[in-house]
Amino acid sequence: MYRLLLLVFLCIFVSVPAVSQTLPEGAETIQGFSIYETLDRLASEEFQGRHTGHQGFTDAAAWVADMFEEWGLMPAGNDDNYLLPFPVQYTIINDASMSVHIVDEEEESGFREEELKPETDFLPLLYSDTADRTAEVVFVGWGIHASDIGYDDYFGVDVEGKFVMCFRGTPDPQDRRFQYHDEHRTRMQRAKDEGALGLIYIYEEPIANPNGDWIEGFTPVKISYDVADKLLGERGFDTATLRQDLLQYKRPISFPLESQVRIQVASTHYPEGTGYNVAGYVEGSNPELRDEVIVIGAHLDHCGTHMGLLFPGADDNASGSAVVTEIARAFAENDIQPERPVMFALFGGEEMGLIGARYLVDNFPERFPTIVNMINFDMVGAGDGTFCGYSADHPDLRELVEDTDTYIQTVQSFFPIRDIGVRGSDHAAFHAQGIPVLYFVSNGPHIKYHTTGDTIYRMNPSVMEDIARIGYVTAIRLANK
Ligand SMILES: [Zn+2]
């Protein structure tokens, strides 16, 4: 009787979830709610938006390192450390204000003054220096002076002691020669060298950006299209049309404005900060393959807290960090003994320009002479499916993911990765060294990208569960291939 009941019970129990029965390698132990909990904590006020160098980031890195240790992952650093330090400069914007002074003949002063709202209308670049200045504005197209290509947005305009205003981008997005000139660092330094007080970037929304260098006395900010329309209106231009013209004619369109802006920034710069990559690993069981590591990675950092605004970075990239952490936990708890070692790496400094991942690739732990593959997860929290990038010359990687996806069914499309340029995520640092990579990004929409609105409320535990499972199974298969 009891036996019969037990048998009936077992039959019910084992026949319930049809999908999980077929999941390989214990992938069903990866759970969306567990990922969600990790994400929730990473994106909380406790870690202050995880700005590399800042205590909030360091605390988040230490928390992940503690989990790695608790689960029994091996420390990857040369000194048997989980926290791998690298030098970093960072800046905190304590306070900022901005107003526009639009030419208006009806006003007694000749100007109509408007105070701008932080984040909605303007936001300093997150490496702006302290200053308070009022000056005229000169529009300089893309802000590019490239003598090697024979293109100069600064030709014929005097920007000395003024603010320059420009778009992000280049006259020809297909022309790779412009890539270097499109880096924020290059554009800021150029404006400074031309004598500008600061650079006003025109973005549809003034989103947070720490990707650049602090330059003494230089105050770069972003403004919205709406604000740019007000300034450009003096010359009868509207922002969207002007941008379209620059792209269509591929020639500089630069001109001074009589309108002025006041930019006030109070910031603290830390020239000698320390960032961290967090790295733990599971040993390889095959003595002949134990030098060849598979890296599973995501960036842990985001944009921090500035002017009292917390940029939580839930999608970017607490989601990817939580997915990698969950895969690491499953490897440890399922006692996976891969033939090759598998390293779990959470990078710092991605938002500043892949600083942590580049540093890791250049100073890779000596115990691993060869990196076989790298799998990156960046922004995997919003949406209900995933896109998968793979090194173009390694279609076998795509086939492996396609095969794994027959169990999970979350990949919506694949795209080949060739030349990543200046806008890639951490896998770009590995790809640049010729290491075959995979890259997962959820289908979104990622509409609150780099804003205070990138909170846990838009995150979907089930898509993260699917992506973590596909990453986990793929990692095991690559390690055993
Ligand atoms: Zn990211």
PDB file of all heavy atoms in Angstrom, residues 422-452:
ATOM      1  N   VAL A 422      35.157  50.678 -31.318  1.00  0.00           N
ATOM      2  CA  VAL A 422      35.290  51.318 -30.013  1.00  0.00           C
ATOM      3  C   VAL A 422      34.049  51.134 -29.141  1.00  0.00           C
ATOM      4  O   VAL A 422      33.997  51.617 -28.029  1.00  0.00           O
ATOM      5  CB  VAL A 422      35.562  52.836 -30.153  1.00  0.00           C
ATOM      6  CG1 VAL A 422      36.891  53.061 -30.831  1.00  0.00           C
ATOM      7  CG2 VAL A 422      34.442  53.538 -30.897  1.00  0.00           C
ATOM      8  N   ARG A 423      33.050  50.437 -29.645  1.00  0.00           N
ATOM      9  CA  ARG A 423      31.812  50.384 -28.867  1.00  0.00           C
ATOM     10  C   ARG A 423      31.463  48.989 -28.349  1.00  0.00           C
ATOM     11  O   ARG A 423      30.324  48.724 -28.004  1.00  0.00           O
ATOM     12  CB  ARG A 423      30.653  50.915 -29.704  1.00  0.00           C
ATOM     13  CG  ARG A 423      30.899  52.350 -30.161  1.00  0.00           C
ATOM     14  CD  ARG A 423      29.660  52.937 -30.788  1.00  0.00           C
ATOM     15  NE  ARG A 423      29.971  54.202 -31.446  1.00  0.00           N
ATOM     16  CZ  ARG A 423      29.053  55.114 -31.707  1.00  0.00           C
ATOM     17  NH1 ARG A 423      27.808  54.914 -31.379  1.00  0.00           N
ATOM     18  NH2 ARG A 423      29.391  56.226 -32.323  1.00  0.00           N
ATOM     19  N   GLY A 424      32.431  48.074 -28.335  1.00  0.00           N
ATOM     20  CA  GLY A 424      32.155  46.709 -27.892  1.00  0.00           C
ATOM     21  C   GLY A 424      32.093  46.578 -26.387  1.00  0.00           C
ATOM     22  O   GLY A 424      32.365  47.506 -25.654  1.00  0.00           O
ATOM     23  N   SER A 425      31.723  45.379 -25.926  1.00  0.00           N
ATOM     24  CA  SER A 425      31.766  45.063 -24.500  1.00  0.00           C
ATOM     25  C   SER A 425      33.044  44.245 -24.231  1.00  0.00           C
ATOM     26  O   SER A 425      33.916  44.138 -25.102  1.00  0.00           O
ATOM     27  CB  SER A 425      30.491  44.299 -24.138  1.00  0.00           C
ATOM     28  OG  SER A 425      30.534  43.859 -22.802  1.00  0.00           O
ATOM     29  N   ASP A 426      33.154  43.649 -23.044  1.00  0.00           N
ATOM     30  CA  ASP A 426      34.416  43.024 -22.617  1.00  0.00           C
ATOM     31  C   ASP A 426      34.971  41.955 -23.554  1.00  0.00           C
ATOM     32  O   ASP A 426      36.179  41.757 -23.622  1.00  0.00           O
ATOM     33  CB  ASP A 426      34.242  42.422 -21.228  1.00  0.00           C
ATOM     34  CG  ASP A 426      33.902  43.490 -20.213  1.00  0.00           C
ATOM     35  OD1 ASP A 426      34.758  44.336 -19.942  1.00  0.00           O
ATOM     36  OD2 ASP A 426      32.765  43.493 -19.725  1.00  0.00           O
ATOM     37  N   HIS A 427      34.093  41.254 -24.274  1.00  0.00           N
ATOM     38  CA  HIS A 427      34.602  40.224 -25.192  1.00  0.00           C
ATOM     39  C   HIS A 427      35.533  40.842 -26.245  1.00  0.00           C
ATOM     40  O   HIS A 427      36.383  40.162 -26.804  1.00  0.00           O
ATOM     41  CB  HIS A 427      33.461  39.463 -25.866  1.00  0.00           C
ATOM     42  CG  HIS A 427      32.524  40.343 -26.640  1.00  0.00           C
ATOM     43  ND1 HIS A 427      31.535  41.073 -26.048  1.00  0.00           N
ATOM     44  CD2 HIS A 427      32.451  40.615 -27.959  1.00  0.00           C
ATOM     45  CE1 HIS A 427      30.888  41.752 -26.968  1.00  0.00           C
ATOM     46  NE2 HIS A 427      31.419  41.506 -28.139  1.00  0.00           N
ATOM     47  N   ALA A 428      35.368  42.166 -26.495  1.00  0.00           N
ATOM     48  CA  ALA A 428      36.223  42.840 -27.487  1.00  0.00           C
ATOM     49  C   ALA A 428      37.696  42.753 -27.094  1.00  0.00           C
ATOM     50  O   ALA A 428      38.570  42.624 -27.958  1.00  0.00           O
ATOM     51  CB  ALA A 428      35.802  44.299 -27.635  1.00  0.00           C
ATOM     52  N   ALA A 429      37.972  42.808 -25.770  1.00  0.00           N
ATOM     53  CA  ALA A 429      39.365  42.734 -25.308  1.00  0.00           C
ATOM     54  C   ALA A 429      39.969  41.362 -25.630  1.00  0.00           C
ATOM     55  O   ALA A 429      41.162  41.252 -25.922  1.00  0.00           O
ATOM     56  CB  ALA A 429      39.422  43.001 -23.806  1.00  0.00           C
ATOM     57  N   PHE A 430      39.151  40.319 -25.583  1.00  0.00           N
ATOM     58  CA  PHE A 430      39.614  38.957 -25.888  1.00  0.00           C
ATOM     59  C   PHE A 430      39.684  38.744 -27.403  1.00  0.00           C
ATOM     60  O   PHE A 430      40.650  38.200 -27.924  1.00  0.00           O
ATOM     61  CB  PHE A 430      38.680  37.928 -25.239  1.00  0.00           C
ATOM     62  CG  PHE A 430      38.751  37.927 -23.736  1.00  0.00           C
ATOM     63  CD1 PHE A 430      38.073  38.874 -22.976  1.00  0.00           C
ATOM     64  CD2 PHE A 430      39.519  36.988 -23.059  1.00  0.00           C
ATOM     65  CE1 PHE A 430      38.148  38.885 -21.586  1.00  0.00           C
ATOM     66  CE2 PHE A 430      39.606  36.978 -21.669  1.00  0.00           C
ATOM     67  CZ  PHE A 430      38.917  37.941 -20.935  1.00  0.00           C
ATOM     68  N   HIS A 431      38.638  39.200 -28.076  1.00  0.00           N
ATOM     69  CA  HIS A 431      38.571  39.109 -29.535  1.00  0.00           C
ATOM     70  C   HIS A 431      39.801  39.771 -30.174  1.00  0.00           C
ATOM     71  O   HIS A 431      40.372  39.254 -31.143  1.00  0.00           O
ATOM     72  CB  HIS A 431      37.286  39.787 -30.010  1.00  0.00           C
ATOM     73  CG  HIS A 431      37.080  39.791 -31.486  1.00  0.00           C
ATOM     74  ND1 HIS A 431      36.590  38.696 -32.174  1.00  0.00           N
ATOM     75  CD2 HIS A 431      37.307  40.746 -32.417  1.00  0.00           C
ATOM     76  CE1 HIS A 431      36.517  38.992 -33.454  1.00  0.00           C
ATOM     77  NE2 HIS A 431      36.944  40.225 -33.638  1.00  0.00           N
ATOM     78  N   ALA A 432      40.203  40.904 -29.604  1.00  0.00           N
ATOM     79  CA  ALA A 432      41.354  41.647 -30.142  1.00  0.00           C
ATOM     80  C   ALA A 432      42.644  40.828 -30.053  1.00  0.00           C
ATOM     81  O   ALA A 432      43.584  41.078 -30.807  1.00  0.00           O
ATOM     82  CB  ALA A 432      41.509  42.972 -29.385  1.00  0.00           C
ATOM     83  N   GLN A 433      42.682  39.854 -29.141  1.00  0.00           N
ATOM     84  CA  GLN A 433      43.862  38.985 -29.014  1.00  0.00           C
ATOM     85  C   GLN A 433      43.708  37.694 -29.810  1.00  0.00           C
ATOM     86  O   GLN A 433      44.473  36.742 -29.636  1.00  0.00           O
ATOM     87  CB  GLN A 433      44.103  38.638 -27.539  1.00  0.00           C
ATOM     88  CG  GLN A 433      44.349  39.845 -26.643  1.00  0.00           C
ATOM     89  CD  GLN A 433      45.598  40.596 -27.030  1.00  0.00           C
ATOM     90  OE1 GLN A 433      46.624  40.007 -27.323  1.00  0.00           O
ATOM     91  NE2 GLN A 433      45.502  41.922 -27.069  1.00  0.00           N
ATOM     92  N   GLY A 434      42.670  37.637 -30.630  1.00  0.00           N
ATOM     93  CA  GLY A 434      42.470  36.454 -31.470  1.00  0.00           C
ATOM     94  C   GLY A 434      41.800  35.292 -30.757  1.00  0.00           C
ATOM     95  O   GLY A 434      41.812  34.159 -31.255  1.00  0.00           O
ATOM     96  N   ILE A 435      41.210  35.548 -29.598  1.00  0.00           N
ATOM     97  CA  ILE A 435      40.521  34.483 -28.853  1.00  0.00           C
ATOM     98  C   ILE A 435      39.069  34.393 -29.330  1.00  0.00           C
ATOM     99  O   ILE A 435      38.360  35.399 -29.353  1.00  0.00           O
ATOM    100  CB  ILE A 435      40.566  34.786 -27.330  1.00  0.00           C
ATOM    101  CG1 ILE A 435      42.023  34.793 -26.858  1.00  0.00           C
ATOM    102  CG2 ILE A 435      39.724  33.784 -26.544  1.00  0.00           C
ATOM    103  CD1 ILE A 435      42.256  35.581 -25.592  1.00  0.00           C
ATOM    104  N   PRO A 436      38.627  33.202 -29.746  1.00  0.00           N
ATOM    105  CA  PRO A 436      37.239  33.057 -30.212  1.00  0.00           C
ATOM    106  C   PRO A 436      36.244  33.337 -29.082  1.00  0.00           C
ATOM    107  O   PRO A 436      36.415  32.829 -27.972  1.00  0.00           O
ATOM    108  CB  PRO A 436      37.151  31.589 -30.648  1.00  0.00           C
ATOM    109  CG  PRO A 436      38.575  31.135 -30.804  1.00  0.00           C
ATOM    110  CD  PRO A 436      39.391  31.951 -29.863  1.00  0.00           C
ATOM    111  N   VAL A 437      35.229  34.151 -29.379  1.00  0.00           N
ATOM    112  CA  VAL A 437      34.313  34.602 -28.328  1.00  0.00           C
ATOM    113  C   VAL A 437      32.856  34.322 -28.675  1.00  0.00           C
ATOM    114  O   VAL A 437      32.489  34.173 -29.845  1.00  0.00           O
ATOM    115  CB  VAL A 437      34.457  36.128 -28.071  1.00  0.00           C
ATOM    116  CG1 VAL A 437      35.860  36.466 -27.591  1.00  0.00           C
ATOM    117  CG2 VAL A 437      34.108  36.943 -29.314  1.00  0.00           C
ATOM    118  N   LEU A 438      32.051  34.250 -27.623  1.00  0.00           N
ATOM    119  CA  LEU A 438      30.598  34.256 -27.734  1.00  0.00           C
ATOM    120  C   LEU A 438      30.093  35.421 -26.886  1.00  0.00           C
ATOM    121  O   LEU A 438      30.707  35.760 -25.872  1.00  0.00           O
ATOM    122  CB  LEU A 438      29.995  32.959 -27.201  1.00  0.00           C
ATOM    123  CG  LEU A 438      30.065  31.733 -28.106  1.00  0.00           C
ATOM    124  CD1 LEU A 438      29.740  30.468 -27.303  1.00  0.00           C
ATOM    125  CD2 LEU A 438      29.098  31.875 -29.291  1.00  0.00           C
ATOM    126  N   TYR A 439      28.979  36.001 -27.310  1.00  0.00           N
ATOM    127  CA  TYR A 439      28.451  37.163 -26.587  1.00  0.00           C
ATOM    128  C   TYR A 439      26.930  37.073 -26.556  1.00  0.00           C
ATOM    129  O   TYR A 439      26.293  36.946 -27.606  1.00  0.00           O
ATOM    130  CB  TYR A 439      28.920  38.428 -27.323  1.00  0.00           C
ATOM    131  CG  TYR A 439      28.219  39.709 -26.941  1.00  0.00           C
ATOM    132  CD1 TYR A 439      27.936  40.028 -25.618  1.00  0.00           C
ATOM    133  CD2 TYR A 439      27.859  40.634 -27.920  1.00  0.00           C
ATOM    134  CE1 TYR A 439      27.310  41.207 -25.280  1.00  0.00           C
ATOM    135  CE2 TYR A 439      27.238  41.825 -27.595  1.00  0.00           C
ATOM    136  CZ  TYR A 439      26.966  42.109 -26.274  1.00  0.00           C
ATOM    137  OH  TYR A 439      26.339  43.283 -25.955  1.00  0.00           O
ATOM    138  N   PHE A 440      26.377  37.107 -25.352  1.00  0.00           N
ATOM    139  CA  PHE A 440      24.923  37.064 -25.200  1.00  0.00           C
ATOM    140  C   PHE A 440      24.392  38.415 -24.741  1.00  0.00           C
ATOM    141  O   PHE A 440      24.926  39.024 -23.811  1.00  0.00           O
ATOM    142  CB  PHE A 440      24.522  35.997 -24.167  1.00  0.00           C
ATOM    143  CG  PHE A 440      24.752  34.597 -24.648  1.00  0.00           C
ATOM    144  CD1 PHE A 440      25.933  33.927 -24.355  1.00  0.00           C
ATOM    145  CD2 PHE A 440      23.799  33.952 -25.427  1.00  0.00           C
ATOM    146  CE1 PHE A 440      26.162  32.637 -24.811  1.00  0.00           C
ATOM    147  CE2 PHE A 440      24.018  32.655 -25.896  1.00  0.00           C
ATOM    148  CZ  PHE A 440      25.204  31.998 -25.589  1.00  0.00           C
ATOM    149  N   VAL A 441      23.338  38.875 -25.403  1.00  0.00           N
ATOM    150  CA  VAL A 441      22.629  40.105 -25.006  1.00  0.00           C
ATOM    151  C   VAL A 441      21.141  39.839 -25.238  1.00  0.00           C
ATOM    152  O   VAL A 441      20.760  39.321 -26.288  1.00  0.00           O
ATOM    153  CB  VAL A 441      23.139  41.335 -25.805  1.00  0.00           C
ATOM    154  CG1 VAL A 441      23.109  41.121 -27.301  1.00  0.00           C
ATOM    155  CG2 VAL A 441      22.382  42.608 -25.447  1.00  0.00           C
ATOM    156  N   SER A 442      20.311  40.127 -24.230  1.00  0.00           N
ATOM    157  CA  SER A 442      18.885  39.805 -24.366  1.00  0.00           C
ATOM    158  C   SER A 442      18.224  40.741 -25.381  1.00  0.00           C
ATOM    159  O   SER A 442      18.761  41.797 -25.716  1.00  0.00           O
ATOM    160  CB  SER A 442      18.187  39.871 -23.015  1.00  0.00           C
ATOM    161  OG  SER A 442      18.180  41.187 -22.526  1.00  0.00           O
ATOM    162  N   ASN A 443      17.024  40.340 -25.826  1.00  0.00           N
ATOM    163  CA  ASN A 443      16.401  41.068 -26.940  1.00  0.00           C
ATOM    164  C   ASN A 443      15.771  42.405 -26.542  1.00  0.00           C
ATOM    165  O   ASN A 443      15.341  43.169 -27.390  1.00  0.00           O
ATOM    166  CB  ASN A 443      15.393  40.176 -27.672  1.00  0.00           C
ATOM    167  CG  ASN A 443      14.242  39.728 -26.793  1.00  0.00           C
ATOM    168  OD1 ASN A 443      14.221  40.021 -25.603  1.00  0.00           O
ATOM    169  ND2 ASN A 443      13.291  39.008 -27.362  1.00  0.00           N
ATOM    170  N   GLY A 444      15.763  42.711 -25.222  1.00  0.00           N
ATOM    171  CA  GLY A 444      15.315  44.028 -24.772  1.00  0.00           C
ATOM    172  C   GLY A 444      13.828  44.281 -24.976  1.00  0.00           C
ATOM    173  O   GLY A 444      13.054  43.335 -24.998  1.00  0.00           O
ATOM    174  N   PRO A 445      13.387  45.524 -25.114  1.00  0.00           N
ATOM    175  CA  PRO A 445      14.215  46.710 -25.357  1.00  0.00           C
ATOM    176  C   PRO A 445      14.948  47.192 -24.101  1.00  0.00           C
ATOM    177  O   PRO A 445      14.404  47.105 -23.014  1.00  0.00           O
ATOM    178  CB  PRO A 445      13.186  47.751 -25.807  1.00  0.00           C
ATOM    179  CG  PRO A 445      11.920  47.362 -25.123  1.00  0.00           C
ATOM    180  CD  PRO A 445      11.944  45.859 -25.043  1.00  0.00           C
ATOM    181  N   HIS A 446      16.154  47.694 -24.319  1.00  0.00           N
ATOM    182  CA  HIS A 446      16.974  48.195 -23.205  1.00  0.00           C
ATOM    183  C   HIS A 446      16.783  49.713 -23.121  1.00  0.00           C
ATOM    184  O   HIS A 446      17.725  50.481 -23.278  1.00  0.00           O
ATOM    185  CB  HIS A 446      18.441  47.841 -23.448  1.00  0.00           C
ATOM    186  CG  HIS A 446      18.658  46.376 -23.702  1.00  0.00           C
ATOM    187  ND1 HIS A 446      18.711  45.443 -22.685  1.00  0.00           N
ATOM    188  CD2 HIS A 446      18.811  45.663 -24.851  1.00  0.00           C
ATOM    189  CE1 HIS A 446      18.908  44.233 -23.196  1.00  0.00           C
ATOM    190  NE2 HIS A 446      18.961  44.335 -24.509  1.00  0.00           N
ATOM    191  N   ILE A 447      15.533  50.116 -22.900  1.00  0.00           N
ATOM    192  CA  ILE A 447      15.211  51.542 -23.100  1.00  0.00           C
ATOM    193  C   ILE A 447      15.726  52.465 -21.999  1.00  0.00           C
ATOM    194  O   ILE A 447      15.825  53.649 -22.216  1.00  0.00           O
ATOM    195  CB  ILE A 447      13.695  51.778 -23.279  1.00  0.00           C
ATOM    196  CG1 ILE A 447      12.933  51.145 -22.128  1.00  0.00           C
ATOM    197  CG2 ILE A 447      13.198  51.280 -24.613  1.00  0.00           C
ATOM    198  CD1 ILE A 447      11.455  51.489 -22.147  1.00  0.00           C
ATOM    199  N   LYS A 448      16.049  51.941 -20.834  1.00  0.00           N
ATOM    200  CA  LYS A 448      16.516  52.832 -19.750  1.00  0.00           C
ATOM    201  C   LYS A 448      18.037  52.806 -19.628  1.00  0.00           C
ATOM    202  O   LYS A 448      18.587  53.108 -18.574  1.00  0.00           O
ATOM    203  CB  LYS A 448      15.853  52.416 -18.430  1.00  0.00           C
ATOM    204  CG  LYS A 448      14.349  52.629 -18.421  1.00  0.00           C
ATOM    205  CD  LYS A 448      14.003  54.112 -18.456  1.00  0.00           C
ATOM    206  CE  LYS A 448      12.490  54.299 -18.451  1.00  0.00           C
ATOM    207  NZ  LYS A 448      12.130  55.734 -18.519  1.00  0.00           N
ATOM    208  N   TYR A 449      18.700  52.429 -20.711  1.00  0.00           N
ATOM    209  CA  TYR A 449      20.157  52.329 -20.769  1.00  0.00           C
ATOM    210  C   TYR A 449      20.866  53.551 -20.187  1.00  0.00           C
ATOM    211  O   TYR A 449      20.599  54.683 -20.602  1.00  0.00           O
ATOM    212  CB  TYR A 449      20.529  52.145 -22.248  1.00  0.00           C
ATOM    213  CG  TYR A 449      21.997  52.069 -22.548  1.00  0.00           C
ATOM    214  CD1 TYR A 449      22.718  50.916 -22.260  1.00  0.00           C
ATOM    215  CD2 TYR A 449      22.657  53.143 -23.128  1.00  0.00           C
ATOM    216  CE1 TYR A 449      24.073  50.850 -22.547  1.00  0.00           C
ATOM    217  CE2 TYR A 449      24.009  53.074 -23.429  1.00  0.00           C
ATOM    218  CZ  TYR A 449      24.705  51.927 -23.133  1.00  0.00           C
ATOM    219  OH  TYR A 449      26.041  51.864 -23.417  1.00  0.00           O
ATOM    220  N   HIS A 450      21.719  53.309 -19.189  1.00  0.00           N
ATOM    221  CA  HIS A 450      22.542  54.370 -18.574  1.00  0.00           C
ATOM    222  C   HIS A 450      21.730  55.532 -17.993  1.00  0.00           C
ATOM    223  O   HIS A 450      22.175  56.677 -18.027  1.00  0.00           O
ATOM    224  CB  HIS A 450      23.590  54.894 -19.552  1.00  0.00           C
ATOM    225  CG  HIS A 450      24.766  53.972 -19.696  1.00  0.00           C
ATOM    226  ND1 HIS A 450      26.058  54.410 -19.813  1.00  0.00           N
ATOM    227  CD2 HIS A 450      24.836  52.622 -19.733  1.00  0.00           C
ATOM    228  CE1 HIS A 450      26.870  53.367 -19.920  1.00  0.00           C
ATOM    229  NE2 HIS A 450      26.153  52.264 -19.888  1.00  0.00           N
ATOM    230  N   THR A 451      20.516  55.222 -17.501  1.00  0.00           N
ATOM    231  CA  THR A 451      19.732  56.250 -16.806  1.00  0.00           C
ATOM    232  C   THR A 451      19.416  55.743 -15.396  1.00  0.00           C
ATOM    233  O   THR A 451      19.631  54.571 -15.085  1.00  0.00           O
ATOM    234  CB  THR A 451      18.392  56.548 -17.510  1.00  0.00           C
ATOM    235  OG1 THR A 451      17.499  55.431 -17.311  1.00  0.00           O
ATOM    236  CG2 THR A 451      18.582  56.777 -19.004  1.00  0.00           C
ATOM    237  N   THR A 452      18.869  56.653 -14.575  1.00  0.00           N
ATOM    238  CA  THR A 452      18.479  56.256 -13.224  1.00  0.00           C
ATOM    239  C   THR A 452      17.305  55.271 -13.271  1.00  0.00           C
ATOM    240  O   THR A 452      16.982  54.649 -12.271  1.00  0.00           O
ATOM    241  CB  THR A 452      18.063  57.485 -12.383  1.00  0.00           C
ATOM    242  OG1 THR A 452      17.059  58.215 -13.101  1.00  0.00           O
ATOM    243  CG2 THR A 452      19.258  58.393 -12.137  1.00  0.00           C
TER     244      THR A 452
END
